[in-house]
Amino acid sequence: MRQEEIWDAETARRYDTPGTGMFAPEVLGPVVDRLAELAGEGAALEFAVGTGRVAVPLAERGVPVTGIELSAAMIEQLRTKAGEAVIPVVRGDMATTVVPGEFTLVYLVYNTISNLLTQAEQVACFRNAARHLRPGGRFVVELGAPDLRRLPPGSQATVWHCEPGYIGVDTFDVLRQHLVSHHFRFDDTRQARLYRSPHRYIWPSELDLMAELAGFELESRHADWTGSEFTAESRSHVTVYRIPEVTG
C-alpha cells in the first residue's frame, strides 16, 4: 500500500479522538511540554504534521510551527483547526521536501519515521532534518523499540493489544525489517473493520548511525516524553539529536 492510500479521507476523518487515546491530556501534554522546551525561542518544523495533533497545541504555546505533510486529506482536517497563517504546511514527503526558513527544532512523533519503508529513505529523512536546522538545532524522533523478543520461534505475528472491540496484530518480515500493523475493530455482529499500516522498524543503534551520517550528535534517549530511563524493557523511546555548534 502507498502512503497516500493509507492516509486517505476516511482515515483523516477518524484520526482525531479529542480527549482520549493519543489526544488525552496526559499523553499529549508531556509531548508539547518537551518540544516547547527544546524549541526555545526559535521555530519548529514537524515532519508528517498530519491533522495537527501536536502542532496545534505547540503553536498555542507560542512556538512558530511549520509542517510537511504528504496527505491532502490530513491537511484538510488540520485546516478545520488552524489556518495557513497559524501553521503553514507544505505538501510533500518528509525525506525530500524543503520548506523556507531555519529552525531550532525538527520533530517526528509516534513512529512516523518507520512509515518510510527503506533504509535509504530513512537516512534521507535525517539529512532533510539537518538541512532545515541552524547550528545547535535539534531533531527529535519518537519511535517504538523493535519487539522481536515477543515473536515465538517460527512465528510471523504477535498480538500486541487486545480489548473489547479491538485487536492489534503485527506481522513481521525480519529479513527486510518490515512489519505490518493490523488493527481489527468489531462489535457483536459478524462484521469487522480492518486498518493496516506498513512500517520499517529501526534498531536504536541503527538510528544513531543514520543520525551520524547526517551530521548529528546523540544528545539524549529516554523511554518517554517525561524523561524516564530507556532500558532493554522499554517499548519505545524519545531520542534527541543535535547539530553541533560551529566553532573556530
Side-chain angles (χ1 to χ4, degrees), residues 27-230:
V27 174
L28 189 54
V31 181
V32 176
D33 289 345
R34 180 65 172 142
L35 292 176
E37 175 188 359
L38 291 170
E41 299 299 318
L45 172 62
E46 180 172 357
F47 284 178
V49 68
T51 68
R53 178 181 74 96
V54 175
V56 170
L58 187 60
E60 290 172 349
R61 291 280 293 270
V63 178
V65 181
T66 299
I68 292 174
E69 174 56 48
L70 184 64
S71 166
M74 299 293 272
I75 298 173
E76 184 177 349
Q77 182 67 19
L78 168 59
R79 288 289 166 250
T80 67
K81 297 178 281 186
E84 179 70 19
V86 178
I87 302 177
V89 176
V90 175
R91 188 178 177 197
D93 73 274
M94 55 189 164
T96 62
T97 302
V98 178
V99 304
E102 190 176 58
F103 302 87
T104 60
L105 177 69
V106 177
Y107 64 94
L108 257 175
V109 297
Y110 207 66
N111 301 323
T112 308
I113 193 171
S114 69
N115 290 338
L116 299 171
L117 299 181
T118 69
Q119 186 184 71
E121 289 176 311
Q122 292 168 348
V123 170
C125 182
F126 270 87
R127 289 178 169 147
N128 198 31
R131 70 170 55 98
H132 285 93
L133 286 167
R134 65 179 62 171
R138 294 175 171 92
F139 183 34
V140 181
V141 179
E142 178 188 22
L143 184 62
D147 204 15
L148 270 66
R149 288 190 302 171
R150 299 180 61 197
L151 192 65
S155 176
Q156 295 180 309
T158 63
V159 177
W160 54 269
H161 192 82
C162 183
E163 63 181 53
Y166 175 80
I167 294 176
V169 176
D170 283 344
T171 55
F172 291 86
D173 176 349
V174 296
L175 185 62
R176 297 191 298 161
Q177 288 183 211
H178 279 187
L179 69 85
V180 178
S181 288
H182 307 257
H183 306 266
F184 297 89
R185 298 190 181 277
F186 52 90
D187 53 26
D188 292 334
T189 71
R190 292 186 174 185
Q191 302 300 313
R193 181 184 294 271
L194 169 63
Y195 170 79
R196 293 177 295 174
S197 60
H199 303 268
R200 181 185 185 272
Y201 58 84
I202 313 170
W203 301 99
S205 57
E206 182 187 10
L207 199 73
D208 292 347
L209 183 56
M210 293 179 183
E212 185 176 339
L213 290 172
F216 286 100
E217 297 175 343
L218 174 64
E219 183 169 278
S220 65
R221 173 170 290 127
H222 294 99
D224 55 35
W225 291 97
T226 63
S228 301
E229 181 184 5
F230 179 73

Side-chain angles (χ1 to χ4, degrees), residues 6-46:
I6 296 170
W7 306 104
D8 58 10
E10 180 182 0
T11 301
R13 285 194 300 269
R14 294 188 290 106
Y15 192 82
D16 290 1
T17 56
T20 64
M22 293 187 298
F23 290 79
E26 64 272 18
V27 174
L28 189 54
V31 181
V32 176
D33 289 345
R34 180 65 172 142
L35 292 176
E37 175 188 359
L38 291 170
E41 299 299 318
L45 172 62
E46 180 172 357

